[in-house]
Amino acid sequence: MSEEPLPPDETLEAARDLVRRGRPFSAHEVLEARWKAGPVEERDLWQGLAQVCVAMTHAARGNQVGADRLFDRAVERLTTFAATGRSTYGLDLDAVVEHARNHVGRL
C-alpha cells in the first residue's frame, strides 16, 4: 500500500474495498496515511477507523484480547469524534461504532 494519503472520500472507498476483499490490515494502512496527513481535528476519526481494521485483523488471527482492546479504543475515538459534529464524509459513524461494540468479546 502506498504511504501517500488519499483525499478523505477516496480513503474511505479504498478502505471499504480492502475490507470487503478480506484485507483489513491494508485498509488500516490507507487510513493511517490519511490520519498522519490530515488535520488534527480529524485525527480521532481516522485513527478510530484504522483501529477497527487492526482489531478485525487480530480477531481473524484468533487474538481476542488484542481485538477487544482495539475495538474498545476505536469506539472511544469514534464517539469522541462524533461529538464534535464534524463531517464524516458520508460515513455512517454510528453504524461503525455499533459494529465495533458488537465484536467485543466475540471471535
Side-chain angles (χ1 to χ4, degrees):
M1 301 298 348
S2 171
E3 291 186 21
E4 286 297 313
L6 299 170
D9 292 332
E10 290 179 38
T11 297
L12 290 173
E13 187 54 41
R16 280 185 191 116
D17 181 58
L18 288 163
V19 168
R20 282 186 207 117
R21 293 190 295 147
R23 298 180 57 203
F25 194 80
S26 294
H28 154 269
E29 292 174 341
V30 169
L31 294 160
E32 182 179 53
R34 178 78 243 146
W35 108 49
K36 290 181 176 181
V40 70
E41 297 85 18
E42 294 182 358
R43 184 167 288 152
D44 282 335
L45 173 64
W46 302 113
Q47 281 185 321
L49 294 172
Q51 287 172 326
V52 167
C53 292
V54 175
M56 291 169 68
T57 302
H58 282 298
R61 293 177 180 168
N63 178 1
Q64 188 64 52
V65 172
D68 287 351
R69 286 183 182 151
L70 281 164
F71 278 129
D72 285 341
R73 287 184 204 150
V75 165
E76 184 177 325
R77 283 194 187 279
L78 295 173
T79 55
T80 297
F81 182 80
T84 69
R86 293 185 182 281
S87 174
T88 61
Y89 302 98
L91 178 69
D92 183 349
L93 201 52
D94 291 336
V96 175
V97 168
E98 188 62 27
H99 174 80
R101 283 186 176 134
N102 287 337
H103 276 79
V104 173
R106 294 181 11 193
L107 272 180

XYZ file of all heavy atoms in Angstrom:
836
model
N 0.839 -1.170 0.000
C 0.000 0.000 0.000
C 0.890 1.241 0.000
O 1.901 1.289 0.666
C -0.889 0.027 1.243
C -1.823 -1.129 1.443
S -3.141 -1.533 0.270
C -3.336 -0.244 -0.840
N 0.462 2.222 -0.715
C 1.188 3.482 -0.773
C 1.062 4.224 0.549
O 0.035 4.159 1.208
C 0.618 4.357 -1.895
O 1.164 5.654 -1.827
N 2.108 4.913 0.919
C 2.056 5.735 2.124
C 1.549 7.134 1.821
O 1.417 7.959 2.713
C 3.434 5.786 2.782
C 3.829 4.438 3.364
C 5.124 4.500 4.138
O 5.538 5.587 4.583
O 5.728 3.434 4.296
N 1.263 7.408 0.544
C 0.715 8.701 0.152
C -0.754 8.755 0.545
O -1.519 7.853 0.213
C 0.846 8.898 -1.358
C 2.246 9.186 -1.807
C 2.795 10.487 -1.240
O 2.085 11.508 -1.285
O 3.923 10.459 -0.734
N -1.149 9.811 1.245
C -2.554 9.894 1.658
C -3.464 10.202 0.476
O -3.099 10.945 -0.437
C -2.556 11.051 2.657
C -1.390 11.891 2.256
C -0.361 10.925 1.728
N -4.621 9.598 0.517
C -5.660 9.878 -0.462
C -6.577 10.955 0.106
O -6.636 11.143 1.328
C -6.478 8.615 -0.730
C -5.729 7.418 -1.309
C -6.608 6.180 -1.289
C -5.259 7.734 -2.714
N -7.345 11.634 -0.732
C -8.361 12.543 -0.210
C -9.353 11.745 0.660
O -9.494 10.523 0.479
C -9.043 13.088 -1.465
C -8.051 12.884 -2.563
C -7.278 11.643 -2.193
N -10.034 12.396 1.584
C -10.911 11.681 2.518
C -11.900 10.714 1.858
O -12.008 9.556 2.287
C -11.627 12.800 3.262
C -10.654 13.926 3.232
C -9.985 13.829 1.890
N -12.635 11.155 0.847
C -13.622 10.274 0.205
C -12.959 9.050 -0.420
O -13.473 7.932 -0.315
C -14.416 11.034 -0.854
C -15.324 12.094 -0.261
O -15.763 11.936 0.899
O -15.588 13.090 -0.951
N -11.820 9.267 -1.064
C -11.100 8.155 -1.685
C -10.512 7.225 -0.622
O -10.439 6.007 -0.828
C -10.003 8.678 -2.599
C -10.531 9.354 -3.841
C -9.419 9.895 -4.723
O -8.358 9.233 -4.841
O -9.604 10.993 -5.282
N -10.095 7.789 0.499
C -9.585 6.973 1.606
C -10.660 6.008 2.078
O -10.402 4.809 2.248
C -9.132 7.868 2.775
O -8.050 8.685 2.340
C -8.702 7.047 3.979
N -11.860 6.533 2.302
C -12.953 5.681 2.773
C -13.298 4.606 1.756
O -13.502 3.438 2.128
C -14.180 6.524 3.100
C -14.049 7.413 4.329
C -15.266 8.325 4.458
C -13.864 6.582 5.594
N -13.352 4.959 0.491
C -13.691 3.977 -0.545
C -12.614 2.899 -0.642
O -12.917 1.709 -0.744
C -13.900 4.648 -1.897
C -14.419 3.703 -2.955
C -15.679 2.956 -2.564
O -16.590 3.548 -1.944
O -15.760 1.744 -2.869
N -11.362 3.299 -0.619
C -10.268 2.322 -0.692
C -10.287 1.402 0.526
O -10.120 0.180 0.390
C -8.924 3.039 -0.793
N -10.498 1.970 1.710
C -10.534 1.157 2.926
C -11.708 0.173 2.883
O -11.551 -1.011 3.225
C -10.616 2.054 4.161
N -12.877 0.637 2.464
C -14.043 -0.255 2.345
C -13.749 -1.410 1.388
O -14.063 -2.570 1.680
C -15.250 0.519 1.814
C -15.981 1.322 2.813
C -17.237 1.931 2.161
N -17.823 2.917 3.026
C -17.930 4.207 2.749
N -17.498 4.692 1.593
N -18.486 5.035 3.602
N -13.169 -1.081 0.255
C -12.863 -2.105 -0.742
C -11.896 -3.145 -0.178
O -12.092 -4.348 -0.361
C -12.287 -1.454 -1.998
C -11.986 -2.473 -3.073
O -12.920 -3.200 -3.479
O -10.814 -2.548 -3.508
N -10.878 -2.682 0.514
C -9.900 -3.605 1.090
C -10.533 -4.496 2.158
O -10.261 -5.703 2.215
C -8.710 -2.828 1.660
C -7.795 -2.228 0.597
C -6.912 -1.145 1.194
C -6.960 -3.318 -0.065
N -11.390 -3.939 2.980
C -12.071 -4.748 4.000
C -12.962 -5.780 3.320
O -12.967 -6.952 3.713
C -12.859 -3.855 4.983
C -13.799 -4.684 5.842
C -11.904 -3.056 5.858
N -13.698 -5.365 2.311
C -14.566 -6.309 1.571
C -13.762 -7.456 0.969
O -14.272 -8.566 0.834
C -15.303 -5.585 0.442
C -16.480 -4.791 0.887
C -17.236 -4.230 -0.330
N -17.922 -3.027 0.064
C -17.708 -1.808 -0.414
N -16.826 -1.606 -1.373
N -18.377 -0.777 0.029
N -12.537 -7.166 0.584
C -11.680 -8.196 -0.019
C -10.891 -8.987 1.020
O -10.011 -9.769 0.668
C -10.737 -7.556 -1.037
C -11.499 -7.013 -2.240
C -10.604 -6.575 -3.379
N -9.761 -5.442 -3.001
C -8.525 -5.246 -3.464
N -7.982 -6.091 -4.296
N -7.836 -4.197 -3.087
N -11.214 -8.779 2.300
C -10.556 -9.545 3.356
C -9.167 -9.053 3.704
O -8.349 -9.828 4.211
N -8.913 -7.763 3.464
C -7.593 -7.200 3.740
C -7.690 -6.022 4.714
O -7.299 -4.902 4.387
C -6.956 -6.775 2.429
C -6.747 -7.956 1.472
C -6.113 -7.572 0.179
N -4.831 -6.921 0.419
C -4.256 -6.103 -0.446
N -4.830 -5.836 -1.612
N -3.112 -5.535 -0.183
N -8.190 -6.266 5.937
C -8.361 -5.146 6.863
C -7.055 -4.481 7.280
O -7.043 -3.276 7.544
C -9.095 -5.758 8.060
C -8.776 -7.212 7.991
C -8.635 -7.520 6.526
N -5.960 -5.221 7.322
C -4.711 -4.560 7.708
C -4.249 -3.592 6.631
O -3.735 -2.512 6.936
C -3.599 -5.550 8.061
C -2.467 -4.863 8.764
C -2.554 -4.571 10.113
C -1.337 -4.457 8.070
C -1.527 -3.889 10.766
C -0.305 -3.774 8.718
C -0.405 -3.497 10.071
N -4.461 -3.936 5.388
C -4.135 -2.998 4.304
C -5.036 -1.769 4.379
O -4.585 -0.647 4.121
C -4.283 -3.681 2.947
O -3.312 -4.700 2.801
N -6.295 -1.972 4.755
C -7.202 -0.833 4.944
C -6.682 0.067 6.057
O -6.730 1.297 5.946
C -8.607 -1.329 5.276
N -6.141 -0.530 7.099
C -5.537 0.239 8.193
C -4.438 1.147 7.659
O -4.337 2.313 8.039
C -4.979 -0.718 9.253
C -3.859 -0.146 10.057
N -2.542 -0.297 9.684
C -3.857 0.600 11.179
C -1.778 0.335 10.569
N -2.551 0.880 11.480
N -3.613 0.635 6.759
C -2.511 1.432 6.222
C -3.016 2.631 5.427
O -2.453 3.720 5.508
C -1.593 0.548 5.386
C -0.840 -0.460 6.246
C -0.025 -1.447 5.442
O -0.285 -1.618 4.227
O 0.881 -2.057 6.030
N -4.087 2.444 4.671
C -4.691 3.549 3.915
C -5.210 4.615 4.880
O -4.992 5.813 4.695
C -5.832 3.024 3.020
C -6.646 4.159 2.428
C -5.272 2.132 1.916
N -5.886 4.158 5.930
C -6.439 5.087 6.926
C -5.330 5.783 7.717
O -5.432 6.969 8.033
C -7.386 4.334 7.864
C -8.648 3.800 7.176
C -9.274 2.686 7.989
C -9.632 4.928 6.920
N -4.268 5.046 8.013
C -3.140 5.626 8.743
C -2.493 6.760 7.947
O -2.149 7.814 8.512
C -2.107 4.543 9.052
C -0.928 5.043 9.848
C 0.055 3.940 10.155
O 0.493 3.231 9.218
O 0.376 3.783 11.348
N -2.343 6.569 6.655
C -1.766 7.631 5.815
C -2.636 8.888 5.877
O -2.119 10.007 5.949
C -1.621 7.148 4.376
N -3.954 8.721 5.882
C -4.868 9.864 5.955
C -4.752 10.570 7.305
O -4.722 11.776 7.387
C -6.310 9.377 5.715
C -7.360 10.439 5.803
C -7.395 11.267 4.538
N -7.047 12.629 4.880
C -6.370 13.470 4.112
N -5.957 13.125 2.929
N -6.090 14.663 4.515
N -4.677 9.790 8.399
C -4.625 10.433 9.719
C -3.329 11.194 9.900
O -3.310 12.258 10.514
C -4.941 9.470 10.848
C -3.836 9.010 11.768
C -2.903 9.767 12.416
C -3.602 7.674 12.183
N -2.088 8.973 13.186
C -2.509 7.694 13.067
C -4.203 6.460 11.902
C -2.012 6.533 13.666
C -3.713 5.323 12.509
C -2.624 5.365 13.366
N -2.255 10.676 9.361
C -0.971 11.367 9.507
C -0.898 12.646 8.691
O -0.189 13.577 9.050
C 0.181 10.432 9.149
C 0.376 9.340 10.182
C 1.525 8.448 9.822
C 1.752 7.415 10.923
N 2.884 6.539 10.601
N -1.637 12.693 7.577
C -1.592 13.856 6.694
C -2.732 14.837 6.939
O -2.652 15.991 6.539
C -1.650 13.402 5.233
N -3.774 14.363 7.580
C -4.974 15.185 7.743
C -4.874 16.169 8.882
O -3.910 16.167 9.656
N -5.893 17.005 8.995
C -5.919 17.981 10.081
C -6.072 17.291 11.438
O -6.722 16.252 11.551
C -7.136 18.858 9.763
C -7.961 18.075 8.813
C -7.055 17.109 8.125
N -5.472 17.867 12.439
C -5.506 17.302 13.784
C -6.943 17.132 14.278
O -7.230 16.215 15.046
C -4.636 18.144 14.753
C -5.268 19.496 15.033
C -4.372 17.388 16.034
N -7.839 17.984 13.801
C -9.233 17.912 14.230
C -9.918 16.628 13.756
O -10.962 16.258 14.272
C -10.027 19.119 13.695
C -9.548 20.443 14.207
C -8.373 21.004 13.375
O -8.156 20.555 12.226
O -7.688 21.895 13.891
N -9.339 15.953 12.773
C -9.916 14.720 12.252
C -9.169 13.471 12.719
O -9.528 12.356 12.349
C -9.935 14.746 10.717
C -10.857 15.790 10.148
C -10.896 15.769 8.631
O -10.179 14.964 8.002
O -11.652 16.584 8.072
N -8.178 13.657 13.531
C -7.333 12.521 13.932
C -8.133 11.387 14.570
O -7.919 10.215 14.254
C -6.233 12.994 14.874
C -5.280 11.855 15.241
C -4.035 12.353 15.889
N -3.234 12.995 14.850
C -2.379 13.964 15.091
N -2.188 14.414 16.297
N -1.690 14.496 14.103
N -9.080 11.707 15.458
C -9.853 10.643 16.108
C -10.659 9.830 15.099
O -10.814 8.619 15.262
C -10.780 11.215 17.181
C -10.055 11.551 18.473
O -9.001 10.952 18.756
O -10.550 12.428 19.212
N -11.167 10.477 14.062
C -11.911 9.745 13.034
C -11.019 8.720 12.354
O -11.333 7.521 12.325
C -12.483 10.718 11.992
C -13.141 10.063 10.776
C -14.372 9.265 11.163
C -13.463 11.114 9.721
N -9.911 9.187 11.811
C -9.054 8.295 11.026
C -8.355 7.252 11.893
O -8.229 6.090 11.489
C -8.058 9.116 10.207
C -8.766 10.079 9.310
C -8.761 11.436 9.385
C -9.646 9.762 8.217
N -9.563 11.988 8.416
C -10.119 10.982 7.688
C -10.071 8.571 7.636
C -10.993 11.035 6.604
C -10.940 8.629 6.553
C -11.391 9.843 6.052
N -7.913 7.637 13.088
C -7.278 6.651 13.961
C -8.291 5.619 14.427
O -7.981 4.430 14.496
C -6.635 7.328 15.168
C -5.304 7.955 14.853
C -4.627 8.527 16.088
O -5.285 9.102 16.955
N -3.337 8.388 16.157
N -9.490 6.066 14.760
C -10.523 5.128 15.192
C -10.865 4.114 14.113
O -10.988 2.911 14.378
N -11.003 4.593 12.888
C -11.287 3.671 11.781
C -10.123 2.706 11.554
O -10.340 1.507 11.309
C -11.586 4.460 10.504
C -12.869 5.298 10.531
C -12.949 6.170 9.286
C -14.106 4.424 10.679
N -8.910 3.202 11.644
C -7.738 2.335 11.494
C -7.701 1.286 12.604
O -7.377 0.116 12.354
C -6.459 3.170 11.500
N -8.070 1.686 13.814
C -8.085 0.732 14.931
C -9.138 -0.357 14.718
O -8.912 -1.511 15.078
C -8.308 1.463 16.248
C -7.084 2.231 16.685
C -7.323 3.116 17.889
O -8.403 3.674 18.079
N -6.298 3.260 18.713
N -10.268 -0.010 14.129
C -11.268 -1.027 13.803
C -10.659 -2.064 12.868
O -10.830 -3.273 13.060
C -12.531 -0.394 13.173
C -13.424 -1.467 12.545
C -13.312 0.409 14.200
N -9.924 -1.607 11.887
C -9.310 -2.522 10.919
C -8.259 -3.418 11.558
O -8.189 -4.611 11.260
C -8.727 -1.735 9.751
S -9.987 -0.947 8.737
N -7.458 -2.868 12.442
C -6.451 -3.695 13.122
C -7.143 -4.671 14.072
O -6.728 -5.828 14.182
C -5.409 -2.828 13.855
C -4.450 -3.696 14.660
C -4.628 -1.993 12.859
N -8.210 -4.238 14.719
C -8.970 -5.137 15.589
C -9.528 -6.307 14.781
O -9.493 -7.461 15.241
C -10.092 -4.370 16.281
N -10.021 -6.022 13.587
C -10.526 -7.085 12.716
C -9.409 -8.067 12.360
O -9.630 -9.282 12.301
C -11.122 -6.474 11.449
C -12.398 -5.707 11.687
S -12.913 -4.744 10.243
C -13.330 -6.046 9.109
N -8.214 -7.541 12.150
C -7.062 -8.387 11.841
C -6.736 -9.296 13.019
O -6.527 -10.504 12.853
C -5.845 -7.518 11.467
O -6.186 -6.705 10.348
C -4.628 -8.362 11.158
N -6.701 -8.713 14.228
C -6.448 -9.523 15.429
C -7.510 -10.600 15.594
O -7.190 -11.764 15.888
C -6.404 -8.648 16.681
C -5.129 -7.904 16.860
N -3.916 -8.515 17.024
C -4.886 -6.571 16.915
C -2.965 -7.609 17.170
N -3.531 -6.407 17.099
N -8.775 -10.236 15.410
C -9.861 -11.203 15.561
C -9.712 -12.346 14.556
O -9.890 -13.516 14.909
C -11.215 -10.507 15.405
N -9.378 -12.016 13.326
C -9.207 -13.042 12.295
C -8.062 -13.999 12.615
O -8.092 -15.162 12.220
C -8.982 -12.384 10.938
N -7.089 -13.501 13.351
C -5.930 -14.329 13.718
C -6.107 -15.038 15.056
O -5.193 -15.680 15.547
C -4.675 -13.458 13.757
C -4.283 -12.944 12.388
C -3.098 -12.037 12.440
N -2.748 -11.556 11.094
C -1.914 -10.581 10.855
N -1.294 -9.965 11.854
N -1.659 -10.217 9.621
N -7.290 -14.875 15.669
C -7.575 -15.557 16.925
C -7.115 -14.837 18.169
O -7.152 -15.395 19.259
N -6.689 -13.600 18.045
C -6.229 -12.824 19.196
C -7.393 -11.985 19.733
O -7.510 -10.799 19.445
C -5.054 -11.928 18.784
C -4.550 -11.059 19.922
O -5.046 -11.113 21.037
N -3.554 -10.248 19.625
N -8.262 -12.626 20.523
C -9.454 -11.947 21.026
C -9.112 -10.804 21.968
O -9.749 -9.748 21.920
C -10.375 -12.941 21.740
C -11.705 -12.343 22.120
C -12.515 -11.938 20.894
O -12.713 -12.741 19.990
N -12.974 -10.710 20.852
N -8.113 -10.977 22.819
C -7.745 -9.913 23.765
C -7.292 -8.666 22.998
O -7.739 -7.551 23.280
C -6.649 -10.393 24.749
C -6.128 -9.237 25.598
C -7.198 -11.499 25.647
N -6.417 -8.841 22.024
C -5.956 -7.709 21.222
C -7.090 -7.074 20.441
O -7.187 -5.844 20.351
N -7.974 -7.901 19.886
C -9.120 -7.383 19.136
C -10.019 -6.554 20.047
O -10.412 -5.434 19.692
C -9.903 -8.528 18.507
N -10.339 -7.091 21.216
C -11.230 -6.368 22.144
C -10.638 -5.024 22.547
O -11.349 -4.015 22.573
C -11.493 -7.197 23.398
C -12.416 -8.373 23.150
O -13.007 -8.473 22.047
O -12.542 -9.211 24.067
N -9.367 -5.007 22.852
C -8.725 -3.743 23.254
C -8.798 -2.706 22.143
O -9.085 -1.540 22.385
C -7.277 -3.991 23.651
C -7.132 -4.671 24.984
C -5.681 -4.839 25.367
N -5.595 -5.538 26.635
C -4.599 -6.308 26.991
N -3.566 -6.481 26.179
N -4.600 -6.911 28.164
N -8.525 -3.131 20.922
C -8.554 -2.182 19.816
C -9.970 -1.767 19.449
O -10.201 -0.604 19.113
C -7.809 -2.741 18.608
C -6.303 -2.583 18.767
C -5.556 -3.465 17.778
C -5.906 -1.134 18.574
N -10.922 -2.681 19.513
C -12.307 -2.280 19.282
C -12.733 -1.247 20.329
O -13.379 -0.247 19.998
C -13.260 -3.478 19.316
C -13.324 -4.262 18.034
C -13.168 -5.643 18.043
C -13.578 -3.645 16.811
C -13.243 -6.384 16.874
C -13.661 -4.377 15.626
C -13.491 -5.751 15.662
N -12.364 -1.474 21.587
C -12.708 -0.508 22.654
C -12.075 0.855 22.389
O -12.730 1.895 22.536
C -12.254 -1.019 24.023
C -13.137 -2.127 24.579
O -14.282 -2.278 24.107
O -12.669 -2.842 25.490
N -10.808 0.871 22.028
C -10.135 2.143 21.732
C -10.774 2.836 20.531
O -10.922 4.056 20.518
C -8.652 1.910 21.453
C -7.850 1.579 22.679
C -6.387 1.465 22.319
N -5.722 0.635 23.286
C -4.671 -0.117 23.048
N -4.121 -0.129 21.845
N -4.133 -0.842 23.990
N -11.131 2.057 19.535
C -11.770 2.621 18.345
C -13.103 3.259 18.705
O -13.396 4.383 18.269
C -11.971 1.532 17.288
N -13.890 2.578 19.508
C -15.187 3.130 19.922
C -14.982 4.446 20.656
O -15.692 5.426 20.401
C -15.965 2.111 20.795
C -17.121 2.777 21.522
C -16.460 0.953 19.943
N -13.999 4.492 21.534
C -13.730 5.727 22.279
C -13.362 6.869 21.331
O -13.895 7.978 21.426
C -12.601 5.487 23.284
C -12.326 6.685 24.156
C -11.253 6.402 25.191
O -11.188 5.266 25.700
O -10.477 7.331 25.485
N -12.455 6.611 20.415
C -12.037 7.659 19.471
C -13.194 8.103 18.567
O -13.385 9.283 18.318
C -10.885 7.172 18.594
C -9.561 7.164 19.292
C -8.443 7.005 18.286
N -7.186 6.834 18.946
C -6.451 7.822 19.438
N -6.870 9.057 19.338
N -5.301 7.580 20.030
N -13.930 7.142 18.062
C -15.005 7.476 17.120
C -16.159 8.206 17.800
O -16.740 9.125 17.216
C -15.491 6.215 16.404
C -14.445 5.563 15.496
C -14.946 4.231 14.960
C -14.028 6.485 14.364
N -16.485 7.841 19.029
C -17.552 8.563 19.731
C -17.080 9.962 20.115
O -17.871 10.908 20.086
C -18.066 7.800 20.962
O -16.987 7.485 21.835
C -18.785 6.528 20.566
N -15.800 10.109 20.437
C -15.239 11.433 20.707
C -15.340 12.296 19.457
O -15.746 13.461 19.516
C -13.773 11.323 21.176
O -13.749 10.610 22.417
C -13.134 12.682 21.356
N -14.992 11.715 18.311
C -15.084 12.471 17.069
C -16.535 12.812 16.740
O -16.841 13.937 16.335
C -14.449 11.707 15.898
C -14.496 12.493 14.631
C -13.573 13.497 14.399
C -15.486 12.278 13.694
C -13.629 14.273 13.250
C -15.551 13.038 12.534
C -14.622 14.043 12.319
N -17.433 11.868 16.902
C -18.843 12.101 16.585
C -19.406 13.276 17.387
O -20.212 14.054 16.880
C -19.664 10.841 16.849
N -18.938 13.422 18.612
C -19.425 14.504 19.471
C -19.024 15.884 18.958
O -19.635 16.887 19.340
C -18.919 14.304 20.896
N -18.040 15.958 18.070
C -17.612 17.251 17.534
C -18.563 17.767 16.470
O -18.552 18.960 16.158
C -16.195 17.182 16.914
O -16.239 16.399 15.710
C -15.170 16.627 17.890
N -19.341 16.871 15.873
C -20.244 17.271 14.805
C -19.560 17.509 13.465
O -20.180 17.965 12.517
N -18.281 17.209 13.378
C -17.551 17.394 12.120
C -17.996 16.373 11.076
O -18.560 15.337 11.396
C -16.053 17.254 12.353
C -15.471 18.361 13.196
C -13.954 18.216 13.266
N -13.382 19.233 14.102
C -13.177 20.491 13.730
N -13.490 20.879 12.525
N -12.646 21.362 14.577
N -17.683 16.664 9.837
C -18.052 15.798 8.725
C -17.400 14.424 8.848
O -16.220 14.311 9.213
C -17.616 16.431 7.399
O -17.840 15.535 6.334
N -18.183 13.411 8.502
C -17.662 12.047 8.429
C -17.558 11.598 6.974
O -17.423 10.415 6.692
C -18.556 11.069 9.208
O -19.868 11.083 8.629
C -18.615 11.426 10.685
N -17.659 12.548 6.059
C -17.508 12.284 4.631
C -18.495 11.220 4.138
O -18.160 10.368 3.330
C -16.065 11.912 4.298
C -15.109 12.995 4.713
C -14.415 12.920 5.908
C -14.945 14.133 3.928
C -13.560 13.945 6.312
C -14.098 15.162 4.315
C -13.412 15.058 5.517
O -12.579 16.067 5.903
N -19.700 11.270 4.684
C -20.757 10.355 4.273
C -20.735 9.009 4.974
O -21.616 8.181 4.759
N -19.766 8.771 5.817
C -19.660 7.513 6.548
C -20.706 7.480 7.659
O -20.860 8.453 8.398
C -18.262 7.381 7.153
C -17.993 6.144 8.000
C -17.969 4.903 7.119
C -16.661 6.299 8.718
N -21.403 6.375 7.796
C -22.354 6.191 8.892
C -21.550 5.787 10.134
O -21.355 4.600 10.406
C -23.387 5.131 8.526
C -24.459 4.941 9.582
O -24.313 5.467 10.717
O -25.457 4.263 9.266
N -21.097 6.784 10.858
C -20.218 6.545 12.000
C -20.928 5.769 13.100
O -20.319 4.931 13.762
C -19.682 7.878 12.530
C -18.419 7.829 13.367
C -17.304 7.070 12.672
C -17.967 9.224 13.711
N -22.219 6.016 13.293
C -22.975 5.258 14.297
C -22.941 3.760 13.987
O -22.787 2.935 14.890
C -24.422 5.737 14.373
C -24.555 7.137 14.950
O -23.649 7.570 15.701
O -25.569 7.799 14.656
N -23.066 3.417 12.719
C -23.029 2.005 12.323
C -21.653 1.398 12.574
O -21.547 0.250 13.029
C -23.421 1.854 10.856
N -20.605 2.153 12.311
C -19.242 1.655 12.550
C -19.029 1.418 14.044
O -18.503 0.379 14.450
C -18.181 2.629 11.998
C -16.770 2.173 12.366
C -18.312 2.765 10.488
N -19.466 2.366 14.855
C -19.322 2.221 16.312
C -20.110 1.009 16.800
O -19.609 0.205 17.598
C -19.765 3.516 17.040
C -19.904 3.291 18.533
C -18.773 4.642 16.750
N -21.320 0.848 16.312
C -22.138 -0.306 16.706
C -21.469 -1.612 16.290
O -21.443 -2.577 17.047
C -23.537 -0.195 16.097
C -24.498 -1.236 16.602
C -24.765 -1.154 18.100
O -24.645 -0.063 18.693
O -25.086 -2.205 18.696
N -20.919 -1.640 15.094
C -20.196 -2.820 14.612
C -19.038 -3.155 15.552
O -18.853 -4.308 15.939
C -19.674 -2.557 13.193
C -18.797 -3.620 12.651
N -19.268 -4.788 12.110
C -17.440 -3.692 12.568
C -18.249 -5.536 11.717
N -17.134 -4.889 11.981
N -18.266 -2.138 15.917
C -17.119 -2.368 16.815
C -17.590 -2.857 18.176
O -17.010 -3.787 18.748
C -16.304 -1.080 16.950
N -18.630 -2.246 18.707
C -19.149 -2.686 20.022
C -19.645 -4.119 19.975
O -19.464 -4.876 20.937
C -20.288 -1.777 20.468
C -19.828 -0.462 20.991
C -20.986 0.341 21.562
N -20.495 1.575 22.136
C -21.039 2.766 21.926
N -22.124 2.882 21.168
N -20.522 3.828 22.483
N -20.276 -4.517 18.883
C -20.823 -5.870 18.754
C -19.745 -6.923 18.619
O -20.012 -8.094 18.860
C -21.774 -5.954 17.565
C -23.081 -5.258 17.833
O -23.488 -5.062 18.972
N -23.761 -4.864 16.776
N -18.548 -6.545 18.231
C -17.485 -7.527 18.066
C -16.675 -7.768 19.328
O -15.942 -8.753 19.400
C -16.551 -7.115 16.917
C -17.085 -7.550 15.602
N -18.085 -6.876 14.953
C -16.797 -8.620 14.839
C -18.370 -7.499 13.839
N -17.614 -8.552 13.736
N -16.789 -6.913 20.308
C -16.023 -7.104 21.543
C -16.486 -8.400 22.211
O -17.672 -8.634 22.390
C -16.186 -5.894 22.487
C -15.526 -6.163 23.829
C -15.569 -4.653 21.847
N -15.514 -9.231 22.528
C -15.810 -10.497 23.219
C -16.197 -11.641 22.309
O -16.488 -12.732 22.785
N -16.171 -11.416 21.004
C -16.556 -12.471 20.053
C -15.449 -12.677 19.030
O -14.865 -11.740 18.545
C -17.809 -12.069 19.280
C -19.024 -11.959 20.092
C -20.224 -11.586 19.255
N -19.963 -11.668 17.823
C -20.756 -11.163 16.914
N -21.834 -10.539 17.245
N -20.483 -11.276 15.628
N -15.221 -13.904 18.704
C -14.308 -14.224 17.592
C -15.117 -14.546 16.379
O -16.208 -14.965 16.411
C -13.400 -15.394 17.932
C -12.113 -15.041 18.638
C -11.307 -16.294 18.925
C -11.276 -14.073 17.861
